[in-house]
Amino acid sequence: MNRRLRLFPGLTGTPRVLTIAALLTVLALGGTFLLDPFRNFQLATAAAYFCAVAGLSLLIGLSGQLSLGHAALMAAGGYGYALTSNALTDAGVDGVLRFVVSLVAGVAIACLLGLLLGLAAARLHGPYLAGLTLALVVAVPAITSVWSGVFRGDQGLQTAYNPVPTALERLIALEQWQAWVAIIVASVVVTALALVRRGALGLRMRAVRDDETAARLNGVPARRVKVTAFTLSAAAAGAGGAVLCFITQSVGPGGYTLAFSLLLVVAAVLGGLGSIGGAAIGSVVIVVLPWALGAGAGALDLPRELEQRLSGNLSLLVFGALLIVVMILRPDGVAGLAGTLRRRRGSGSVPAPAESASTAGPDSPPPSAAAASDAPASSDSSRTIPIER
């Protein structure tokens, strides 16, 4: 692709990632002024899902580990946030400090759970790993019922009201403030995942995914890489669960079911495994599509019995059909389609003469990494991966 078509062509590496992340964050914050309160609530929810889907996409797409229990990791973050927030409220702490401390506590609890899962996942492969994570999400209602004195069983936990800060209460509404918080947290989490993806750890994850035996022979600590990948993914899911609890001011086992966990996997696959941009698209789809289907079914004035049967099932049916279509026509997801269009657009320009490695001088500009930051993970297997012993 021609460098003149890139955004910020003078920047490369980490400065480029941070600059683009800051620009997109500012644009998203400014876009909340164009939305009504309900749309801002949807945007905040999508941002919370974005954290979990991005972490899951990195886990599956880069390290090759399948998790069907990321809803349980989000629940861990949500319950950690709620318990800490309620304790701080009783201690007289409120405002931004209460939110930050509760968020860190939720992420830490999800990290610990992800570390334990990662230690077990390092010894499991394929359906065995999927079965372990599946058992975890199925066990969430039972755990909350056994320790009902802490988790309040099926009723869940309620958190204190989080008002708009005094300095902003004349400028924005509550839903817009929630959207701002969700966007900022998602920006920090996803930017960290993007830096991991393009760094040395990301290369080692790809090496372990493609051929674990060859990676070990090249000095890559495959077990440690797998555990680290699972822990990072769990931290992202925990942040998403904490933000979701901040938005809804409650957390309960009914919101983190097996169907929701599978929906996170669908979002990652639809967007493109290993792609940060694809994770954003998938998160928006799983928030907007159920609402659109419900609104469409309500506008058709269907019989009440049929409407009750379609309620909750129509979205699952559509998501299943959409997943099948995407797997047949575009296995690398929406991000793969964007990459194909980018390559076709770039092929129209006159390519610069190629230089061999022996003739390229030390001052030669590095190759563009723009496409690598959002390309699906399936395209990485054809690249040579430098591994340090």
Side-chain angles (χ1 to χ4, degrees), residues 88-111:
L88 292 175
T89 301
D90 295 338
V93 180
D94 58 3
V96 177
L97 179 60
R98 180 180 63 187
F99 169 77
V100 173
V101 174
S102 302
L103 175 65
V104 172
V107 172
I109 292 175
C111 265

Side-chain angles (χ1 to χ4, degrees), residues 212-311:
E212 184 174 341
T213 302
R216 291 179 184 274
L217 292 176
N218 280 275
V220 177
R223 188 166 182 266
R224 186 185 307 170
V225 169
K226 286 185 174 183
V227 173
T228 303
F230 222 111
T231 305
L232 290 175
S233 181
V243 171
L244 194 61
C245 181
F246 165 78
I247 297 169
T248 60
Q249 299 177 21
S250 65
V251 58
Y256 302 97
T257 60
L258 175 60
F260 177 66
S261 192
L262 295 177
L263 199 61
L264 295 177
V265 178
V266 171
V269 174
L270 289 179
L273 293 175
S275 169
I276 299 298
I281 296 173
S283 303
V284 173
V285 168
I286 64 175
V287 171
V288 175
L289 186 58
W291 167 82
L293 292 175
L300 294 177
D301 196 17
L302 299 174
R304 182 164 184 170
E305 182 179 356
L306 179 60
E307 185 176 356
Q308 291 178 349
R309 291 183 178 181
L310 291 178
S311 177

Side-chain angles (χ1 to χ4, degrees), residues 91-372:
V93 180
D94 58 3
V96 177
L97 179 60
R98 180 180 63 187
F99 169 77
V100 173
V101 174
S102 302
L103 175 65
V104 172
V107 172
I109 292 175
C111 265
L112 179 60
L113 181 58
L115 176 61
L116 297 176
L117 282 175
L119 293 174
R123 302 179 180 274
L124 299 175
H125 300 276
Y128 302 102
L129 175 57
L132 174 65
T133 56
L134 184 64
L136 178 64
V137 71
V138 171
V140 168
I143 294 174
T144 57
S145 297
V146 171
W147 285 283
S148 58
V150 177
F151 302 112
R152 302 299 181 186
D154 294 337
Q155 295 181 355
L157 294 173
Q158 307 293 323
T159 60
Y161 173 69
N162 295 279
V164 182
T166 306
L168 298 175
E169 59 184 2
R170 293 186 177 182
L171 178 65
I172 59 177
L174 175 62
E175 292 80 5
Q176 192 173 356
W177 164 244
Q178 293 173 344
W180 278 25
V181 172
I183 290 170
I184 293 173
V185 173
S187 175
V188 173
V189 170
V190 173
T191 302
L193 293 178
L195 293 176
V196 168
R197 185 187 186 278
R198 64 180 292 116
L201 180 57
L203 292 176
R204 291 173 180 173
M205 288 182 188
R206 295 182 182 95
V208 172
R209 176 202 65 194
D210 294 339
D211 194 328
E212 184 174 341
T213 302
R216 291 179 184 274
L217 292 176
N218 280 275
V220 177
R223 188 166 182 266
R224 186 185 307 170
V225 169
K226 286 185 174 183
V227 173
T228 303
F230 222 111
T231 305
L232 290 175
S233 181
V243 171
L244 194 61
C245 181
F246 165 78
I247 297 169
T248 60
Q249 299 177 21
S250 65
V251 58
Y256 302 97
T257 60
L258 175 60
F260 177 66
S261 192
L262 295 177
L263 199 61
L264 295 177
V265 178
V266 171
V269 174
L270 289 179
L273 293 175
S275 169
I276 299 298
I281 296 173
S283 303
V284 173
V285 168
I286 64 175
V287 171
V288 175
L289 186 58
W291 167 82
L293 292 175
L300 294 177
D301 196 17
L302 299 174
R304 182 164 184 170
E305 182 179 356
L306 179 60
E307 185 176 356
Q308 291 178 349
R309 291 183 178 181
L310 291 178
S311 177
N313 296 321
L314 180 60
S315 59
L316 295 178
L317 176 63
V318 173
F319 276 123
L322 186 60
L323 184 62
I324 293 174
V325 172
V326 170
M327 287 295 94
I328 293 176
L329 300 180
R330 181 58 61 177
D332 47 0
V334 178
L337 177 60
T340 301
L341 295 176
R342 191 185 302 118
R343 287 190 296 270
R344 289 179 180 178
R345 184 178 60 181
S347 63
S349 59
V350 179
E355 293 183 355
S356 63
S358 60
T359 59
D363 296 330
S364 300
S368 171

Side-chain angles (χ1 to χ4, degrees), residues 29-45:
L29 294 176
T32 58
F33 288 97
L34 305 177
L35 304 177
D36 57 54
F38 178 69
R39 301 301 179 201
N40 276 316
F41 172 78
Q42 286 184 319
L43 177 60
T45 305

Side-chain angles (χ1 to χ4, degrees), residues 71-81 105-106 109-110 113 238:
L73 297 174
M74 289 189 69
Y79 275 104
Y81 175 90
I109 292 175
L113 181 58

